[in-house]
Every structure is written in C-alpha cells, then in structure tokens.
Amino acid sequence: MRTQVGIVGAGPAGLLLALMLQRDGIDCVVLESRSRDYVESRVRAGVLEQGTVDLMAELGAVDRLRRESMPDARLDVRFSGGIITMDLPALTPGKIVTVYGQQEVVKDLIATRLDRGGAILFEAEAARLSGVNYVRPVVHFRYKGRDETLECDIIAGCDGFHGICRGAIPEQVLTVYDRIYPFGWLGILSESTPFAEMSYSNHEHGFALASRRSPRISRLYVQCPADDDPAQWPDNRIWEELHLRLYDRGGELDEGRIFQKDVIPVRAFVAAPMHHGRLFLAGDAAHIVPPTGAKGLNLAAADVRVLARALAEFFRTGSVARLERYSDTCLKRVWKVVRYSNYMTSLLHRFETHSPFERRVQQAELEYLLNSMPARTTIAENYVGLPFEED
Ligand code: APR
Ligand code: PHB
C-alpha cells in the first residue's frame, strides 16, 4: 500500500488529522490496532475547549455534539474553607467549555471519515517503522493475519502513550521528561443525577471530582493509591468517600447504579522533539498530562491542527519550513498545559509525603483563590483553553 500520510492510531489525534488532510486534498490511511467497537467504547475524559469544538465544526463533525453535549459556564473547587466558584464567561471573558465524552468524539470522527470514503483499517497493528530518515518511510503492520507495508511520504505517530512510533526516534536524540504522581484516580460511571456544576474537591481524605456524561449519567472520581484495583472499591465505599470528599451537605450526591469502574494513572510525560526525519508525533504518543487539567484530548487536537497546516504547505509547495517548526510550536503549548495540569494536581490532591509546612501552603493557596479574582482568572483562562499562537 502507498499513501501520502500514514497515520498510526485512530484516537482523537489520528482521526482529527485524517479529516483535516482529507479536507485539504491530501491522501492518508489510518491504521488502528484495536477494533472499531473497542475504540468507540473506551471511557476517557470529557471536557472540550472551544478550540476543539471549533475544529470539529470546521470538519463538519459537530451535529451530534451540538445536540447532545452540555455547555459548562462554571467550575467549582470545594475545600474545607468553602467553595471557590469560577464563573467562566465573566473571568475569561466570554468563554465556556463543553462536556462531551471522548468516546463520543471518537464515534463522530470515525463516522465522518467513513462517510466520506476515507480509509481506516481497524485491527491493523503497526509493528515497526523503517526509513524514517528517508523520503519514503514505511509502516510495517499486521492485518488479517498477514504482514503488510504502508509506504508514505510522511508518518504521523498518533498511536498514544503505549504506541510504537515514539520508539522509532533514536534514544540519543530524544529527551524524556517524566513525573509519576504517587496516586491514581478511581473513576466510575453511574446512573445518577449529576452535580449542577463541575466540582473538583480538596479533602483531607484526598481529591474527588464530580463530572457528568449526560443529564442522567454522572462521572465521578476519587484519588486512590496508584496500584489499587477497582475490586478494592465496593460501591458503598465509593459512595461513602464521595459524600465525604465532596462535602455533600445532604441530598446533593445522587447514588445510582454504578456500571463502570476503572483506575487511571496520574502522570506527566513529555518527549522532545516531537519530530524526527519524516516522522511526526502527535497527542499522547508525545506527551501525557495528569487528568486534573482535563487537557489530554485538547492538547492532541492542538498538535494536529499545527501538523495539518504544516503538511498542507509541504504538499502544496514542497517547503519543509513549517514542518521543521512543528515540534517547537507544539512544545510551547504542551509545557504551558503541563504547568497548569501540574498546578491543579498539586493544589487538589493529598500527598502523603507533604510536610505540615506544605499542607499549610496548599491550604493558603485555596484560601487565596477564594478571595482573589486574579488568582481565579488564571485557572479559568487555562481551563477554557489558552489562545493559539501563530507559528
Ligand atoms: N498500531 C496501530 N494503532 C495503535 C498502535 C499500533 N502499534 N498502538 C496504539 N494504537 C492506537 C490505540 O489503540 C489508540 O486507539 O492508537 C490510538 C491512540 O489513541 P489515544 O490513546 O486516544 O491517543 P490520542 O489520539 O493522542 O488522544 C489523546 O486520549 O489518552 C487520551 O486522555 C488522553 O484525551 C487524550 C487523548
Ligand atoms: C471527566 O469528565 O471525565 C473529567 C472532567 C474533568 C477532569 C478530568 C476528567 O479534570
């Protein structure tokens, strides 16, 4: 097989890129190791910045999102001293976020790509890349029991954190920045009326978060040990911790049937540069951020927006100038988002290693936010999404 851009991975990064390239008349093939059903049902985060929604709209993949998503104009942070309320349009000004599950985004993008006759090969697992330093790099993949090759001009490594593309960049040119936090999140989906507001909480038992997926489905999280198994969390223990950590004064938290439980890691990771030869990494393949910022998907969308523009220039004019700037352009945003996600993680979690001094400083930061509009503004402007800088 031969194409202009070989895209490895059908997550948000790979699918958004495929639609942008298709719009620009550039041929591409998406290889995805999992089945369609698997990628469409994988539960992930659910907060979209306006820039991400705008991109879905530009690509004509926004109809269901407009009908079913939930606009969110407020963010609350609860702690022992009260509730810090961030009125997003007042602080940003005029901006809000959109609550819509990542798997719904993925479903919409897959449907749009297939409707337009674009290629996505499911259960096609990339095994290795070759020739990334040459003009015809190749993706070697396994499909329907056979070894196949996809010859390309450019490879887009959109294969997530555990993918194989990042490994094709020689170790000596790659710098990895990593922080593993000493806890995870237990996440549940339940058939219960959600909190009225997106509510993060700092409690002495640990962090909690009340989010939602629909007017009748809650998405709730509690901080837990990183190596916990969901089986260690019977339903009654989860509800007990949620009531306590969310400072429920009675009747706020609706206990419904829990139909999904998972434990997710909390870590930050950045690999730089995001480009080597004819290979370009985007999304989780290059970086992951702790979930406290709700930024993973939005950052993936920001990367491929830059990549699509650079590829359009390359295929139109032959110029590699924008492609050469791709990594630097993306990493500027990535580090700002890492900073914000790290800040929110440090602000809201209980760290067993914290000294009494560090606990007091964390508490003082929360008290400061409660009474300072400029401090709340810095959270709000990051939460709704930083503006895109021209490259
Ligand atoms: N060959 C083909 N596909 C692969 C391979 C491989 N060797 N390895 C991984 N993949 C696929 C995965 O199955 C997955 O569907 O690549 C896809 C990567 O998608 P994501 O992990 O969703 O990553 P990305 O598109 O960068 O989106 C980032 O996802 O992890 C969340 O919170 C994160 O919201 C963020 C978003
Ligand atoms: C979610 O809805 O899953 C969610 C919301 C906010 C976060 C993380 C996850 O920070």
Side-chain angles (χ1 to χ4, degrees):
M1 279 174 87
R2 157 119 200 87
T3 187
Q4 286 176 291
V5 181
I7 301 177
V8 186
L15 293 165
L16 284 167
L17 180 63
L19 287 180
M20 281 188 278
L21 295 178
Q22 200 169 356
R23 173 196 63 190
D24 298 341
I26 298 165
D27 187 51
C28 59
V29 171
V30 183
L31 303 177
E32 166 58 52
S33 57
R34 304 289 193 154
S35 67
R36 179 174 179 180
D37 189 48
Y38 182 92
V39 295
E40 290 188 344
S41 51
R42 194 163 38 189
V43 177
R44 296 268 183 81
V47 179
L48 308 186
E49 296 174 359
Q50 191 56 46
T52 306
V53 174
D54 291 346
L55 182 57
M56 301 269 294
E58 267 173 47
L59 295 171
V62 85
D63 290 353
R64 193 166 69 95
L65 183 148
R66 294 248 190 267
R67 287 195 308 273
E68 296 180 14
S69 69
M70 294 161 289
D72 241 11
R74 208 172 113 174
L75 171 64
D76 283 0
V77 172
R78 299 177 171 212
F79 75 112
S80 58
I83 300 182
I84 303 161
T85 295
M86 276 154 287
D87 175 339
L88 303 175
L91 294 172
T92 53
K95 294 192 180 143
I96 59 163
V97 298
T98 299
V99 176
Y100 192 60
Q102 179 170 317
Q103 76 269 36
E104 306 307 323
V105 171
V106 165
K107 276 184 211 161
D108 295 348
L109 295 174
I110 290 174
T112 308
R113 167 101 179 138
L114 296 177
D115 276 356
R116 293 181 190 160
I120 308 177
L121 304 189
F122 291 100
E123 297 175 67
E125 179 164 20
R128 66 185 178 90
L129 312 182
S130 64
V132 296
N133 283 313
Y134 299 93
V135 292
R136 291 271 180 277
V138 176
V139 185
H140 302 260
F141 66 102
R142 186 112 190 123
Y143 188 55
K144 296 192 171 160
R146 293 173 50 164
D147 291 325
E148 305 276 356
T149 54
L150 177 63
E151 200 183 299
C152 331
D153 296 310
I154 299 283
I155 297 174
C158 302
D159 52 347
F161 183 63
H162 300 288
I164 54 117
C165 290
R166 190 174 62 249
I169 303 183
E171 241 173 61
Q172 61 276 19
V173 299
L174 198 72
T175 305
V176 164
Y177 306 85
D178 205 1
R179 178 167 185 191
I180 298 175
Y181 297 82
F183 40 74
W185 284 11
L186 173 87
I188 62 159
L189 284 169
S190 72
E191 286 167 359
S192 45
T193 308
F195 271 40
E197 315 299 342
M198 178 75 75
S199 301
Y200 292 95
S201 188
N202 172 307
H203 188 275
E204 78 182 271
H205 280 212
F207 170 80
L209 165 58
S211 178
R212 64 202 195 285
R213 285 293 175 272
S214 80
R216 278 192 299 275
I217 305 286
S218 297
R219 176 71 169 152
L220 299 152
Y221 298 94
V222 286
Q223 176 184 343
C224 66
D227 55 2
D228 259 12
D229 190 304
Q232 286 162 278
W233 287 85
D235 296 3
N236 60 352
R237 179 177 176 211
I238 297 174
W239 291 121
E240 211 172 286
E241 285 300 318
L242 281 167
H243 281 292
L244 196 68
R245 296 188 196 187
L246 290 166
Y247 302 89
D248 181 11
R249 281 172 302 241
E252 236 181 332
L253 183 70
D254 177 26
E255 294 185 20
R257 185 180 72 88
I258 297 175
F259 59 93
Q260 206 264 350
K261 284 183 201 176
D262 54 347
V263 171
I264 60 168
V266 179
R267 77 182 292 179
F269 173 95
V270 180
M274 291 166 61
H275 158 216
H276 183 71
R278 289 285 179 118
L279 167 66
F280 294 82
L281 302 178
D284 277 18
H287 42 70
I288 46 181
V289 282
T292 332
K295 291 291 174 219
L297 185 156
N298 296 296
L299 206 47
D303 287 350
V304 290
R305 182 193 281 272
V306 177
L307 185 54
R309 190 164 173 212
L311 288 171
E313 186 175 281
F314 172 68
F315 286 110
R316 199 179 58 245
T317 68
S319 164
V320 294
R322 252 179 216 287
L323 282 176
E324 294 286 348
R325 293 200 299 274
Y326 168 74
S327 178
D328 287 347
T329 304
C330 288
L331 285 169
K332 272 193 202 159
R333 187 180 186 86
V334 167
W335 278 110
K336 286 182 198 151
V337 170
V338 170
R339 183 209 70 81
Y340 168 69
S341 306
N342 181 64
Y343 168 73
M344 292 298 277
T345 306
S346 305
L347 178 72
L348 296 172
H349 290 77
R350 180 176 172 96
F351 290 75
E352 289 306 330
T353 52
H354 267 179
S355 63
F357 175 87
E358 289 164 309
R359 289 226 166 96
R360 293 289 159 102
V361 169
Q362 192 192 55
Q363 186 72 16
E365 177 83 28
L366 291 159
E367 298 281 354
Y368 173 55
L369 282 161
L370 188 61
N371 296 308
S372 162
M373 193 159 82
R376 289 196 300 279
T377 303
T378 67
I379 291 186
E381 76 170 345
N382 281 276
Y383 183 62
V384 300
L386 294 172
F388 294 106
E389 284 172 27
E390 273 307 302
D391 63 312

